[in-house]
mmCIF file with all atom_site columns, all heavy atoms in Angstrom:
data_model
loop_
_atom_site.group_PDB
_atom_site.id
_atom_site.type_symbol
_atom_site.label_atom_id
_atom_site.label_alt_id
_atom_site.label_comp_id
_atom_site.label_asym_id
_atom_site.label_entity_id
_atom_site.label_seq_id
_atom_site.pdbx_PDB_ins_code
_atom_site.Cartn_x
_atom_site.Cartn_y
_atom_site.Cartn_z
_atom_site.occupancy
_atom_site.B_iso_or_equiv
_atom_site.pdbx_formal_charge
_atom_site.auth_seq_id
_atom_site.auth_comp_id
_atom_site.auth_asym_id
_atom_site.auth_atom_id
_atom_site.pdbx_PDB_model_num
ATOM 1   N N   . GLU A 1 10  ? 64.845 107.685 90.720 1.00 0.00 ? 10  GLU A N   1
ATOM 2   C CA  . GLU A 1 10  ? 66.178 107.182 90.333 1.00 0.00 ? 10  GLU A CA  1
ATOM 3   C C   . GLU A 1 10  ? 67.171 107.728 91.330 1.00 0.00 ? 10  GLU A C   1
ATOM 4   O O   . GLU A 1 10  ? 67.063 108.905 91.735 1.00 0.00 ? 10  GLU A O   1
ATOM 5   C CB  . GLU A 1 10  ? 66.563 107.689 88.928 1.00 0.00 ? 10  GLU A CB  1
ATOM 6   C CG  . GLU A 1 10  ? 65.618 107.112 87.898 1.00 0.00 ? 10  GLU A CG  1
ATOM 7   C CD  . GLU A 1 10  ? 66.381 106.528 86.734 1.00 0.00 ? 10  GLU A CD  1
ATOM 8   O OE1 . GLU A 1 10  ? 67.455 105.893 86.905 1.00 0.00 ? 10  GLU A OE1 1
ATOM 9   O OE2 . GLU A 1 10  ? 65.882 106.717 85.568 1.00 0.00 ? 10  GLU A OE2 1
ATOM 10  N N   . ARG A 1 18  ? 65.737 118.377 93.385 1.00 0.00 ? 18  ARG A N   1
ATOM 11  C CA  . ARG A 1 18  ? 64.700 118.567 92.352 1.00 0.00 ? 18  ARG A CA  1
ATOM 12  C C   . ARG A 1 18  ? 63.285 118.502 92.993 1.00 0.00 ? 18  ARG A C   1
ATOM 13  O O   . ARG A 1 18  ? 62.397 119.308 92.695 1.00 0.00 ? 18  ARG A O   1
ATOM 14  C CB  . ARG A 1 18  ? 64.765 117.487 91.323 1.00 0.00 ? 18  ARG A CB  1
ATOM 15  C CG  . ARG A 1 18  ? 65.910 117.678 90.319 1.00 0.00 ? 18  ARG A CG  1
ATOM 16  C CD  . ARG A 1 18  ? 65.959 116.550 89.295 1.00 0.00 ? 18  ARG A CD  1
ATOM 17  N NE  . ARG A 1 18  ? 67.304 116.368 88.801 1.00 0.00 ? 18  ARG A NE  1
ATOM 18  C CZ  . ARG A 1 18  ? 67.892 117.135 87.909 1.00 0.00 ? 18  ARG A CZ  1
ATOM 19  N NH1 . ARG A 1 18  ? 67.208 118.139 87.328 1.00 0.00 ? 18  ARG A NH1 1
ATOM 20  N NH2 . ARG A 1 18  ? 69.106 116.950 87.540 1.00 0.00 ? 18  ARG A NH2 1
ATOM 21  N N   . ARG A 1 25  ? 58.829 125.907 94.917 1.00 0.00 ? 25  ARG A N   1
ATOM 22  C CA  . ARG A 1 25  ? 58.600 126.788 93.774 1.00 0.00 ? 25  ARG A CA  1
ATOM 23  C C   . ARG A 1 25  ? 57.127 126.926 93.423 1.00 0.00 ? 25  ARG A C   1
ATOM 24  O O   . ARG A 1 25  ? 56.633 127.944 93.091 1.00 0.00 ? 25  ARG A O   1
ATOM 25  C CB  . ARG A 1 25  ? 59.360 126.149 92.534 1.00 0.00 ? 25  ARG A CB  1
ATOM 26  C CG  . ARG A 1 25  ? 59.331 126.899 91.290 1.00 0.00 ? 25  ARG A CG  1
ATOM 27  C CD  . ARG A 1 25  ? 60.536 126.390 90.436 1.00 0.00 ? 25  ARG A CD  1
ATOM 28  N NE  . ARG A 1 25  ? 60.292 125.083 89.800 1.00 0.00 ? 25  ARG A NE  1
ATOM 29  C CZ  . ARG A 1 25  ? 61.014 123.993 90.022 1.00 0.00 ? 25  ARG A CZ  1
ATOM 30  N NH1 . ARG A 1 25  ? 61.962 124.061 90.964 1.00 0.00 ? 25  ARG A NH1 1
ATOM 31  N NH2 . ARG A 1 25  ? 60.810 122.904 89.403 1.00 0.00 ? 25  ARG A NH2 1
ATOM 32  N N   . ARG A 1 55  ? 42.696 119.598 94.071 1.00 0.00 ? 55  ARG A N   1
ATOM 33  C CA  . ARG A 1 55  ? 43.366 120.289 93.020 1.00 0.00 ? 55  ARG A CA  1
ATOM 34  C C   . ARG A 1 55  ? 44.861 120.351 93.244 1.00 0.00 ? 55  ARG A C   1
ATOM 35  O O   . ARG A 1 55  ? 45.660 120.105 92.356 1.00 0.00 ? 55  ARG A O   1
ATOM 36  C CB  . ARG A 1 55  ? 42.799 121.727 92.844 1.00 0.00 ? 55  ARG A CB  1
ATOM 37  C CG  . ARG A 1 55  ? 42.997 122.365 91.484 1.00 0.00 ? 55  ARG A CG  1
ATOM 38  C CD  . ARG A 1 55  ? 42.811 123.873 91.600 1.00 0.00 ? 55  ARG A CD  1
ATOM 39  N NE  . ARG A 1 55  ? 43.951 124.487 92.248 1.00 0.00 ? 55  ARG A NE  1
ATOM 40  C CZ  . ARG A 1 55  ? 45.088 124.889 91.578 1.00 0.00 ? 55  ARG A CZ  1
ATOM 41  N NH1 . ARG A 1 55  ? 45.183 124.647 90.331 1.00 0.00 ? 55  ARG A NH1 1
ATOM 42  N NH2 . ARG A 1 55  ? 46.084 125.386 92.271 1.00 0.00 ? 55  ARG A NH2 1
ATOM 43  N N   . GLN A 1 59  ? 47.931 118.597 91.030 1.00 0.00 ? 59  GLN A N   1
ATOM 44  C CA  . GLN A 1 59  ? 49.108 119.326 90.514 1.00 0.00 ? 59  GLN A CA  1
ATOM 45  C C   . GLN A 1 59  ? 50.425 118.768 91.012 1.00 0.00 ? 59  GLN A C   1
ATOM 46  O O   . GLN A 1 59  ? 51.387 118.581 90.306 1.00 0.00 ? 59  GLN A O   1
ATOM 47  C CB  . GLN A 1 59  ? 48.991 120.790 90.831 1.00 0.00 ? 59  GLN A CB  1
ATOM 48  C CG  . GLN A 1 59  ? 48.365 121.654 89.708 1.00 0.00 ? 59  GLN A CG  1
ATOM 49  C CD  . GLN A 1 59  ? 49.202 121.686 88.459 1.00 0.00 ? 59  GLN A CD  1
ATOM 50  O OE1 . GLN A 1 59  ? 50.390 122.015 88.426 1.00 0.00 ? 59  GLN A OE1 1
ATOM 51  N NE2 . GLN A 1 59  ? 48.604 121.233 87.318 1.00 0.00 ? 59  GLN A NE2 1
ATOM 52  N N   . LYS A 1 62  ? 51.145 115.559 89.245 1.00 0.00 ? 62  LYS A N   1
ATOM 53  C CA  . LYS A 1 62  ? 51.538 115.730 87.793 1.00 0.00 ? 62  LYS A CA  1
ATOM 54  C C   . LYS A 1 62  ? 52.888 116.453 87.677 1.00 0.00 ? 62  LYS A C   1
ATOM 55  O O   . LYS A 1 62  ? 53.661 116.097 86.786 1.00 0.00 ? 62  LYS A O   1
ATOM 56  C CB  . LYS A 1 62  ? 50.417 116.607 87.140 1.00 0.00 ? 62  LYS A CB  1
ATOM 57  C CG  . LYS A 1 62  ? 49.186 115.769 86.878 1.00 0.00 ? 62  LYS A CG  1
ATOM 58  C CD  . LYS A 1 62  ? 48.099 116.776 86.359 1.00 0.00 ? 62  LYS A CD  1
ATOM 59  C CE  . LYS A 1 62  ? 46.962 116.027 85.738 1.00 0.00 ? 62  LYS A CE  1
ATOM 60  N NZ  . LYS A 1 62  ? 45.934 116.964 85.269 1.00 0.00 ? 62  LYS A NZ  1
ATOM 61  N N   . GLN A 1 63  ? 53.108 117.408 88.532 1.00 0.00 ? 63  GLN A N   1
ATOM 62  C CA  . GLN A 1 63  ? 54.409 118.088 88.438 1.00 0.00 ? 63  GLN A CA  1
ATOM 63  C C   . GLN A 1 63  ? 55.539 117.180 88.857 1.00 0.00 ? 63  GLN A C   1
ATOM 64  O O   . GLN A 1 63  ? 56.591 117.174 88.215 1.00 0.00 ? 63  GLN A O   1
ATOM 65  C CB  . GLN A 1 63  ? 54.414 119.370 89.260 1.00 0.00 ? 63  GLN A CB  1
ATOM 66  C CG  . GLN A 1 63  ? 53.453 120.491 88.841 1.00 0.00 ? 63  GLN A CG  1
ATOM 67  C CD  . GLN A 1 63  ? 53.807 121.086 87.528 1.00 0.00 ? 63  GLN A CD  1
ATOM 68  O OE1 . GLN A 1 63  ? 54.921 120.895 87.011 1.00 0.00 ? 63  GLN A OE1 1
ATOM 69  N NE2 . GLN A 1 63  ? 52.927 121.861 86.926 1.00 0.00 ? 63  GLN A NE2 1
ATOM 70  N N   . LYS A 1 66  ? 56.566 115.045 86.041 1.00 0.00 ? 66  LYS A N   1
ATOM 71  C CA  . LYS A 1 66  ? 57.369 115.636 84.961 1.00 0.00 ? 66  LYS A CA  1
ATOM 72  C C   . LYS A 1 66  ? 58.847 115.570 85.256 1.00 0.00 ? 66  LYS A C   1
ATOM 73  O O   . LYS A 1 66  ? 59.688 115.794 84.367 1.00 0.00 ? 66  LYS A O   1
ATOM 74  C CB  . LYS A 1 66  ? 56.949 117.111 84.815 1.00 0.00 ? 66  LYS A CB  1
ATOM 75  C CG  . LYS A 1 66  ? 55.659 117.277 84.105 1.00 0.00 ? 66  LYS A CG  1
ATOM 76  C CD  . LYS A 1 66  ? 55.220 118.734 84.022 1.00 0.00 ? 66  LYS A CD  1
ATOM 77  C CE  . LYS A 1 66  ? 56.017 119.552 83.084 1.00 0.00 ? 66  LYS A CE  1
ATOM 78  N NZ  . LYS A 1 66  ? 55.403 120.842 82.796 1.00 0.00 ? 66  LYS A NZ  1
ATOM 79  N N   . VAL A 1 68  ? 62.174 113.983 85.349 1.00 0.00 ? 68  VAL A N   1
ATOM 80  C CA  . VAL A 1 68  ? 62.678 112.779 84.649 1.00 0.00 ? 68  VAL A CA  1
ATOM 81  C C   . VAL A 1 68  ? 63.082 111.705 85.638 1.00 0.00 ? 68  VAL A C   1
ATOM 82  O O   . VAL A 1 68  ? 62.972 110.496 85.372 1.00 0.00 ? 68  VAL A O   1
ATOM 83  C CB  . VAL A 1 68  ? 63.823 113.202 83.714 1.00 0.00 ? 68  VAL A CB  1
ATOM 84  C CG1 . VAL A 1 68  ? 64.443 112.022 83.079 1.00 0.00 ? 68  VAL A CG1 1
ATOM 85  C CG2 . VAL A 1 68  ? 63.253 114.101 82.630 1.00 0.00 ? 68  VAL A CG2 1
ATOM 86  N N   . VAL A 1 70  ? 61.766 110.930 88.450 1.00 0.00 ? 70  VAL A N   1
ATOM 87  C CA  . VAL A 1 70  ? 60.686 110.320 89.204 1.00 0.00 ? 70  VAL A CA  1
ATOM 88  C C   . VAL A 1 70  ? 60.100 109.163 88.348 1.00 0.00 ? 70  VAL A C   1
ATOM 89  O O   . VAL A 1 70  ? 59.665 109.354 87.272 1.00 0.00 ? 70  VAL A O   1
ATOM 90  C CB  . VAL A 1 70  ? 59.598 111.334 89.584 1.00 0.00 ? 70  VAL A CB  1
ATOM 91  C CG1 . VAL A 1 70  ? 58.405 110.632 90.116 1.00 0.00 ? 70  VAL A CG1 1
ATOM 92  C CG2 . VAL A 1 70  ? 60.169 112.309 90.583 1.00 0.00 ? 70  VAL A CG2 1
ATOM 93  N N   . LEU B 2 121 ? 67.856 124.551 87.664 1.00 0.00 ? 121 LEU B N   1
ATOM 94  C CA  . LEU B 2 121 ? 66.871 123.537 87.994 1.00 0.00 ? 121 LEU B CA  1
ATOM 95  C C   . LEU B 2 121 ? 65.432 123.895 87.663 1.00 0.00 ? 121 LEU B C   1
ATOM 96  O O   . LEU B 2 121 ? 64.701 123.184 87.058 1.00 0.00 ? 121 LEU B O   1
ATOM 97  C CB  . LEU B 2 121 ? 67.012 123.226 89.508 1.00 0.00 ? 121 LEU B CB  1
ATOM 98  C CG  . LEU B 2 121 ? 66.682 121.876 89.946 1.00 0.00 ? 121 LEU B CG  1
ATOM 99  C CD1 . LEU B 2 121 ? 67.671 120.844 89.417 1.00 0.00 ? 121 LEU B CD1 1
ATOM 100 C CD2 . LEU B 2 121 ? 66.722 121.808 91.490 1.00 0.00 ? 121 LEU B CD2 1
ATOM 101 N N   . PRO B 2 122 ? 65.003 125.113 88.020 1.00 0.00 ? 122 PRO B N   1
ATOM 102 C CA  . PRO B 2 122 ? 63.650 125.442 87.801 1.00 0.00 ? 122 PRO B CA  1
ATOM 103 C C   . PRO B 2 122 ? 63.281 125.888 86.359 1.00 0.00 ? 122 PRO B C   1
ATOM 104 O O   . PRO B 2 122 ? 62.199 126.120 86.007 1.00 0.00 ? 122 PRO B O   1
ATOM 105 C CB  . PRO B 2 122 ? 63.314 126.633 88.743 1.00 0.00 ? 122 PRO B CB  1
ATOM 106 C CG  . PRO B 2 122 ? 64.585 126.995 89.357 1.00 0.00 ? 122 PRO B CG  1
ATOM 107 C CD  . PRO B 2 122 ? 65.678 126.150 88.885 1.00 0.00 ? 122 PRO B CD  1
ATOM 108 N N   . ASN B 2 127 ? 68.336 118.546 83.750 1.00 0.00 ? 127 ASN B N   1
ATOM 109 C CA  . ASN B 2 127 ? 69.775 118.901 83.588 1.00 0.00 ? 127 ASN B CA  1
ATOM 110 C C   . ASN B 2 127 ? 70.675 117.879 84.217 1.00 0.00 ? 127 ASN B C   1
ATOM 111 O O   . ASN B 2 127 ? 70.271 117.050 84.952 1.00 0.00 ? 127 ASN B O   1
ATOM 112 C CB  . ASN B 2 127 ? 70.048 120.375 84.027 1.00 0.00 ? 127 ASN B CB  1
ATOM 113 C CG  . ASN B 2 127 ? 69.889 120.519 85.520 1.00 0.00 ? 127 ASN B CG  1
ATOM 114 O OD1 . ASN B 2 127 ? 69.896 119.577 86.312 1.00 0.00 ? 127 ASN B OD1 1
ATOM 115 N ND2 . ASN B 2 127 ? 69.681 121.738 85.971 1.00 0.00 ? 127 ASN B ND2 1
ATOM 116 N N   . PRO B 2 179 ? 63.166 105.231 82.615 1.00 0.00 ? 179 PRO B N   1
ATOM 117 C CA  . PRO B 2 179 ? 61.968 104.665 83.167 1.00 0.00 ? 179 PRO B CA  1
ATOM 118 C C   . PRO B 2 179 ? 60.961 105.762 83.655 1.00 0.00 ? 179 PRO B C   1
ATOM 119 O O   . PRO B 2 179 ? 59.772 105.549 83.648 1.00 0.00 ? 179 PRO B O   1
ATOM 120 C CB  . PRO B 2 179 ? 62.344 103.796 84.323 1.00 0.00 ? 179 PRO B CB  1
ATOM 121 C CG  . PRO B 2 179 ? 63.821 103.927 84.510 1.00 0.00 ? 179 PRO B CG  1
ATOM 122 C CD  . PRO B 2 179 ? 64.392 104.657 83.310 1.00 0.00 ? 179 PRO B CD  1
ATOM 123 N N   . GLY B 2 180 ? 61.532 106.916 84.014 1.00 0.00 ? 180 GLY B N   1
ATOM 124 C CA  . GLY B 2 180 ? 60.651 107.953 84.605 1.00 0.00 ? 180 GLY B CA  1
ATOM 125 C C   . GLY B 2 180 ? 60.218 108.940 83.529 1.00 0.00 ? 180 GLY B C   1
ATOM 126 O O   . GLY B 2 180 ? 59.568 109.948 83.822 1.00 0.00 ? 180 GLY B O   1
ATOM 127 N N   . ASP B 2 302 ? 51.157 117.790 77.853 1.00 0.00 ? 302 ASP B N   1
ATOM 128 C CA  . ASP B 2 302 ? 51.631 117.856 79.251 1.00 0.00 ? 302 ASP B CA  1
ATOM 129 C C   . ASP B 2 302 ? 50.456 117.737 80.199 1.00 0.00 ? 302 ASP B C   1
ATOM 130 O O   . ASP B 2 302 ? 49.672 118.627 80.379 1.00 0.00 ? 302 ASP B O   1
ATOM 131 C CB  . ASP B 2 302 ? 52.366 119.174 79.438 1.00 0.00 ? 302 ASP B CB  1
ATOM 132 C CG  . ASP B 2 302 ? 52.932 119.372 80.876 1.00 0.00 ? 302 ASP B CG  1
ATOM 133 O OD1 . ASP B 2 302 ? 52.686 118.430 81.705 1.00 0.00 ? 302 ASP B OD1 1
ATOM 134 O OD2 . ASP B 2 302 ? 53.617 120.310 81.154 1.00 0.00 ? 302 ASP B OD2 1
ATOM 135 N N   . PRO B 2 303 ? 50.345 116.579 80.920 1.00 0.00 ? 303 PRO B N   1
ATOM 136 C CA  . PRO B 2 303 ? 49.182 116.357 81.789 1.00 0.00 ? 303 PRO B CA  1
ATOM 137 C C   . PRO B 2 303 ? 49.139 117.423 82.883 1.00 0.00 ? 303 PRO B C   1
ATOM 138 O O   . PRO B 2 303 ? 48.018 117.784 83.319 1.00 0.00 ? 303 PRO B O   1
ATOM 139 C CB  . PRO B 2 303 ? 49.469 115.002 82.417 1.00 0.00 ? 303 PRO B CB  1
ATOM 140 C CG  . PRO B 2 303 ? 50.703 114.451 81.829 1.00 0.00 ? 303 PRO B CG  1
ATOM 141 C CD  . PRO B 2 303 ? 51.300 115.448 80.848 1.00 0.00 ? 303 PRO B CD  1
ATOM 142 N N   . ALA B 2 304 ? 50.248 117.998 83.238 1.00 0.00 ? 304 ALA B N   1
ATOM 143 C CA  . ALA B 2 304 ? 50.235 119.002 84.324 1.00 0.00 ? 304 ALA B CA  1
ATOM 144 C C   . ALA B 2 304 ? 49.555 120.289 83.919 1.00 0.00 ? 304 ALA B C   1
ATOM 145 O O   . ALA B 2 304 ? 49.209 121.115 84.745 1.00 0.00 ? 304 ALA B O   1
ATOM 146 C CB  . ALA B 2 304 ? 51.660 119.288 84.832 1.00 0.00 ? 304 ALA B CB  1
ATOM 147 N N   . ILE B 2 306 ? 46.760 120.389 82.435 1.00 0.00 ? 306 ILE B N   1
ATOM 148 C CA  . ILE B 2 306 ? 45.281 120.221 82.450 1.00 0.00 ? 306 ILE B CA  1
ATOM 149 C C   . ILE B 2 306 ? 44.771 120.531 83.866 1.00 0.00 ? 306 ILE B C   1
ATOM 150 O O   . ILE B 2 306 ? 45.265 120.009 84.865 1.00 0.00 ? 306 ILE B O   1
ATOM 151 C CB  . ILE B 2 306 ? 44.859 118.818 82.003 1.00 0.00 ? 306 ILE B CB  1
ATOM 152 C CG1 . ILE B 2 306 ? 45.200 118.778 80.514 1.00 0.00 ? 306 ILE B CG1 1
ATOM 153 C CG2 . ILE B 2 306 ? 43.475 118.461 82.332 1.00 0.00 ? 306 ILE B CG2 1
ATOM 154 C CD1 . ILE B 2 306 ? 45.197 117.522 79.800 1.00 0.00 ? 306 ILE B CD1 1
ATOM 155 N N   . LYS B 2 308 ? 45.381 123.191 85.432 1.00 0.00 ? 308 LYS B N   1
ATOM 156 C CA  . LYS B 2 308 ? 46.340 123.965 86.234 1.00 0.00 ? 308 LYS B CA  1
ATOM 157 C C   . LYS B 2 308 ? 45.726 125.397 86.527 1.00 0.00 ? 308 LYS B C   1
ATOM 158 O O   . LYS B 2 308 ? 45.719 125.829 87.670 1.00 0.00 ? 308 LYS B O   1
ATOM 159 C CB  . LYS B 2 308 ? 47.678 124.160 85.532 1.00 0.00 ? 308 LYS B CB  1
ATOM 160 C CG  . LYS B 2 308 ? 48.752 124.854 86.360 1.00 0.00 ? 308 LYS B CG  1
ATOM 161 C CD  . LYS B 2 308 ? 50.025 125.034 85.551 1.00 0.00 ? 308 LYS B CD  1
ATOM 162 C CE  . LYS B 2 308 ? 49.897 126.148 84.555 1.00 0.00 ? 308 LYS B CE  1
ATOM 163 N NZ  . LYS B 2 308 ? 51.170 126.355 83.784 1.00 0.00 ? 308 LYS B NZ  1
#
Side-chain angles (χ1 to χ4, degrees):
Chain A
E10 298 226 38
R18 285 180 206 281
R25 185 161 74 244
R55 200 198 75 87
Q59 266 295 305
K62 286 172 164 179
Q63 294 293 348
K66 283 177 72 168
V68 172
V70 170
Chain B
L121 208 67
N127 65 21
D302 182 354
I306 288 168
K308 186 182 75 180

